[in-house]
Amino acid sequence: SGALAQEMAIEKYSIDSLTKEQDNLQIRLNKIQDNYINQYSGLNALLYQLNSTSTNLASALTSLTNMAAGK
């Protein structure tokens, strides 16, 4: 039974090591996911600002064109 107990202890250690490694990988993946979410949010805000700027510039150019045409 000594050999069996030793084998069981080795397997338990192996399982504990794999569980710890899995937990560390999950923490790392969560950090990566949070980083991507933050980047996406920043890009989404930038696209909104650029769209707003585009709309304002189009309106200003239309006004200038109308003024130049004497409308």
Side-chain angles (χ1 to χ4, degrees), residues 17-61:
S17 294
L18 289 172
T19 300
K20 184 175 181 181
E21 185 177 348
Q22 182 181 18
D23 291 344
N24 289 337
L25 286 172
Q26 189 61 53
I27 290 168
R28 185 172 170 218
L29 286 173
N30 289 343
K31 287 179 183 179
I32 292 170
Q33 181 181 17
D34 290 343
N35 187 37
Y36 284 149
I37 289 170
N38 289 336
Q39 286 180 355
Y40 175 80
S41 296
L43 286 172
N44 197 34
L46 179 60
L47 285 174
Y48 177 79
Q49 290 174 347
L50 289 172
N51 188 43
S52 180
T53 301
S54 174
T55 301
N56 290 338
L57 285 173
S59 178
L61 288 174

